[in-house]
Amino acid sequence: RRSWMHLLNVGDITENSQKWENLSKSEQRQRQEGRKERKWRINNPNFAIHPQRLSIRNLPTFVDANKLRSAVVKNLVQTSEANKKEGMKLAQQAIVKAILVRDTERRGEDGESRSKGYGFIAFKDHDSAMRTLEFLNDNPKVFGGNRRPIVEFAVEDKRKLRMQEEEKQKFEKKLAQKQQEKGTQGEGDAEGEEMQPTKKTKKRKRPKLAESDGEKKKGRGAKQREKRRAQKAAAEERAKAKK
């Protein structure tokens, strides 16, 4: 906490500064109120200065997150010691997130929520954040117009940051578990297919063709009855012949 205390007033313009006269009444008021707010926060043990996150206020309403990011990337490339191609790659990687706060109740001609004129930009390293602050702060030429951006290191609520970090870790853990379960299930399916015994296919019996009444196979009893009937008929024939 104490190691970053020197960043509290970086970018501030006081009433004794020559730059104060260049500020509009609105910008002077915003800086005075911002200074009071930051002083109150830093005296609260639940707040701390974030060395890699900038608070940016007093932006023109037409500036969106993409324009903000593009301006920052351009400056990081120009102030980088690497060549242009490598510098562009490093500059884009240096920005973690850039957001603007919007008014959901007010919309522009394009139908999108109007910008409230302030936002935040987070970096992977402190050096990129400092170079961006020195470039954007009190510089009306970046986006054009008369507004001078107010750029300061963000004073964050540690409780909120802790909750966000916990939520992030939970999400990453849950995602990793899902991927692991998906991989395990795939291996199990493959093993199941390999280990599954081959089922013997039963041969289907061909249905016997229907036999005619004369061709039906007779049983033993039927044969005996038929034999007796034949013997009786023969005896009757012999008896008739004698008469």
Side-chain angles (χ1 to χ4, degrees):
R1 174 183 169 87
R2 293 182 178 180
S3 60
W4 300 110
M5 280 295 293
H6 65 283
L7 300 177
L8 179 63
N9 297 320
V10 174
D12 189 20
I13 298 176
T14 63
E15 292 82 351
N16 298 327
S17 173
Q18 293 180 352
K19 294 181 178 180
W20 183 260
E21 298 300 325
N22 297 328
L23 304 178
S24 66
K25 295 296 182 181
S26 174
E27 291 166 347
Q28 290 178 355
R29 177 180 52 78
Q30 288 184 66
R31 286 192 175 270
Q32 288 172 337
E33 292 177 353
R35 194 181 305 132
K36 290 179 182 179
E37 176 69 16
R38 290 168 66 80
K39 185 177 180 180
W40 177 86
R41 286 193 172 200
I42 206 62
N43 288 326
N44 188 324
N46 291 320
F47 290 85
I49 298 173
H50 199 310
Q52 294 165 224
R53 192 164 189 255
L54 298 178
S55 165
I56 306 174
R57 294 178 289 141
N58 202 41
L59 288 169
T61 55
F62 61 81
V63 175
D64 57 15
N66 290 331
K67 289 182 180 179
L68 176 61
R69 178 185 284 268
S70 298
V72 172
V73 167
K74 183 178 179 181
N75 175 68
L76 291 177
V77 172
Q78 291 176 348
T79 56
S80 173
E81 296 180 357
N83 59 55
K84 188 175 181 180
K85 184 177 180 180
E86 184 66 20
M88 176 65 73
K89 181 180 177 181
L90 293 173
Q92 291 176 342
Q93 292 176 346
I95 301 175
V96 176
K97 191 175 185 180
I99 59 172
L100 285 181
V101 180
R102 294 185 174 275
D103 188 349
T104 56
E105 296 182 356
R106 300 180 65 186
R107 299 185 179 275
E109 295 179 357
D110 55 359
E112 292 187 0
S113 301
R114 291 189 60 181
S115 168
K116 288 188 174 183
Y118 71 92
F120 301 89
I121 184 166
F123 298 86
K124 284 186 176 180
D125 59 276
H126 173 64
D127 179 67
S128 297
M130 180 63 79
R131 284 155 59 193
T132 300
L133 184 148
E134 293 172 349
F135 167 64
L136 286 179
N137 188 48
D138 195 41
N139 186 354
K141 297 179 181 179
V142 179
F143 302 111
N146 299 322
R147 290 196 178 191
R148 296 174 177 270
I150 301 172
V151 187
E152 300 162 322
F153 282 97
V155 181
E156 304 276 74
D157 188 335
K158 293 188 293 184
R159 297 165 298 182
K160 186 176 180 180
L161 292 176
R162 193 181 302 112
M163 290 175 63
Q164 291 176 348
E165 184 63 27
E166 289 175 356
E167 289 293 329
K168 181 181 177 182
Q169 291 178 359
K170 286 180 182 178
F171 175 77
E172 291 176 350
K173 185 178 180 181
K174 190 174 181 181
L175 185 63
Q177 287 177 347
K178 283 185 177 180
Q179 291 176 347
Q180 187 177 1
E181 289 174 0
K182 187 176 180 181
T184 306
Q185 185 179 2
E187 293 175 0
D189 292 343
E191 290 176 0
E193 291 175 1
E194 293 175 0
M195 298 299 292
Q196 188 176 4
T198 306
K199 294 182 178 179
K200 293 182 180 179
T201 54
K202 294 182 179 180
K203 292 183 179 180
R204 293 183 179 180
K205 294 182 179 179
R206 293 183 180 179
K208 292 182 179 180
L209 296 174
E211 298 176 347
S212 62
D213 295 340
E215 294 176 347
K216 285 183 181 179
K217 200 170 183 180
K218 297 178 180 179
R220 185 177 177 182
K223 288 180 179 181
Q224 290 177 352
R225 288 191 296 272
E226 188 177 355
K227 185 179 179 180
R228 286 195 295 269
R229 284 196 295 269
Q231 290 175 352
K232 184 177 180 181
E236 290 177 354
E237 287 294 331
R238 286 195 297 268
K240 288 180 181 180
K242 287 178 179 182
K243 291 180 179 180

